[in-house]
């Protein structure tokens, strides 16, 4: 699969898991996440993100190949650090694999990966993904300890969990934003590409998009929810506009 990445511009990866969640509620084929991937491509999204969970509650195994066949957009496969998921990633060879923590009972990915505590479990999996030419990303909290662990593991990318920022208000929100900006700068200084995601909406995306060093945002639940009202294409276009307006390479570098 060709991966067309535009340097400088803030990339938008659209997580289409929840299109599959709606499909799975009735057990049939509709709505098809592949159609969502095609719409994301037409609407100016830069990548497709999908999380193949152990319990297959949204994306299923056969969706991966169908998504890869349907669009040239790079696929970012979110996966737990297990032998089963490693084998699937090596078979499908997505552009990127983002290693996330996974608990069966959680509603969503609640926190970052403990890259520091799980070093021995992660090292062989990261190594095999990298050897296969898959760009590895670790979904971590914006903390020095976790970033250092990502460096030790030689992951080229870290995705910072923005859940704490998304749920915070007032001074706490400003503090979370600063933490994300500082950690993005530290990651970039050490040669890692910083990404961010989780809980981002039209209302809270711009301060994150204004952080110059962040290269990619991965956004899912809010866009699929908005799509119910305005359609997926319009929702992705609106998110793109907001991100571009705030990002220093394409807009003012400020939230509006
Ligand atoms: N990035 C990662 C690594 C995720 O696991 C998720 C989903 O939890 C997202 C981004 C997107 O989060 P949301 O659906 O809240 O936009």
């Amino acid at each position: 699969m060709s991966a067309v990445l535009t340097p400088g511009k803030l990339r938008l990866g659209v997580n289409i898991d929840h299109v599959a969640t709606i499909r799975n509620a009735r057990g049939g084929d509709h709505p098809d996440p592949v159609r969502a991937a095609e719409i994301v491509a037409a609407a100016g999204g830069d990548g497709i993100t999908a999380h193949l969970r152990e319990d297959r509650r949204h994306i299923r195994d056969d969706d991966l190949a169908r998504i890869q066949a349907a669009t040239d957009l790079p696929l970012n496969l979110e996966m737990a650090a297990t032998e089963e998921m490693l084998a699937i990633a090596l078979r499908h060879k997505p552009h990127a694999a983002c290693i996330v923590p996974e608990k069966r009972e959680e509603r969503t990915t609640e926190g970052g990966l403990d890259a520091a505590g799980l070093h021995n479990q992660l090292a062989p999996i990261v190594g095999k993904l990298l050897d296969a030419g898959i760009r590895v990303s670790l979904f971590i909290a914006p903390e020095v300890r976790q970033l250092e662990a990502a460096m030790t593991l030689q992951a080229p990318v870290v995705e910072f969990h923005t859940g704490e920022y998304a749920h915070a208000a007032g001074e706490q929100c400003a503090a979370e934003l600063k933490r994300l900006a500082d950690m993005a700068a530290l990651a970039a200084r050490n040669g890692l590409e910083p990404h961010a995601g989780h809980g981002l909406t039209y209302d809270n995306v711009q301060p994150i998009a204004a952080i110059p060093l962040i290269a990619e945002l991965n956004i899912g639940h809010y866009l699929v929810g908005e799509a119910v009202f305005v359609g997926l294409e319009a929702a992705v276009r609106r998110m793109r506009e907001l991100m571009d307006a705030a990002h220093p390479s394409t807009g003012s570098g400020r939230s509006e």
Side-chain angles (χ1 to χ4, degrees), residues 100-249:
V100 301
E102 196 173 303
K103 291 191 224 112
R104 214 170 238 271
E105 64 281 11
E106 71 189 352
R107 252 191 256 173
T108 178
T109 313
E110 281 160 5
L113 183 73
D114 182 9
L118 297 175
H119 177 275
N120 292 349
Q121 183 190 334
L122 292 171
I125 292 181
V126 171
K128 285 176 192 159
L129 290 168
L130 290 174
D131 286 348
I134 299 168
R135 195 161 164 78
V136 177
S137 158
L138 302 182
F139 189 42
I140 58 172
E143 292 168 6
V144 173
R145 180 167 169 267
Q146 299 299 346
L147 181 59
E148 284 175 352
M151 287 177 214
T152 308
L153 286 161
Q154 299 187 317
V157 178
V158 282
E159 179 168 332
F160 292 121
H161 195 300
T162 49
E164 300 268 333
Y165 159 78
H167 295 128
E171 279 177 22
Q172 173 71 22
C173 183
E176 286 299 329
L177 194 58
K178 181 171 184 317
R179 193 156 79 103
L180 285 158
D182 290 348
M183 293 306 298
L186 189 59
R189 269 204 304 282
N190 285 281
L192 283 86
E193 185 174 275
H195 297 180
H198 198 88
L200 297 178
T201 68
Y202 293 159
D203 289 334
N204 67 19
V205 75
Q206 288 200 304
I208 299 287
I211 299 173
L213 294 162
I214 292 185
E216 178 175 308
L217 301 182
N218 284 297
I219 307 181
H221 184 265
Y222 183 82
L223 286 174
V224 175
E226 266 303 286
V228 171
F229 304 112
V230 302
L232 186 58
E233 180 159 353
V236 171
R237 283 195 195 285
R238 178 72 187 136
M239 190 61 84
R240 222 334 6 123
E241 274 167 19
L242 290 167
M243 286 168 51
D244 288 347
H247 191 64
S249 76

Side-chain angles (χ1 to χ4, degrees), residues 53-114:
R53 278 186 172 264
E54 187 194 6
D55 63 7
R56 311 299 198 265
R57 75 171 75 149
H58 27 62
I59 292 295
R60 299 189 297 235
D61 301 54
D62 64 319
D63 292 328
L64 292 178
R66 292 192 314 117
I67 291 167
Q68 286 177 305
T71 152
D72 278 345
L73 288 184
L75 174 66
N76 173 32
L77 173 66
E78 292 179 3
M79 55 174 269
T82 64
E83 287 301 324
E84 182 202 10
M85 289 302 150
L86 173 65
I88 291 170
L90 294 178
R91 201 158 56 241
H92 288 275
K93 292 217 171 39
H95 166 72
C98 179
I99 302 183
V100 301
E102 196 173 303
K103 291 191 224 112
R104 214 170 238 271
E105 64 281 11
E106 71 189 352
R107 252 191 256 173
T108 178
T109 313
E110 281 160 5
L113 183 73
D114 182 9

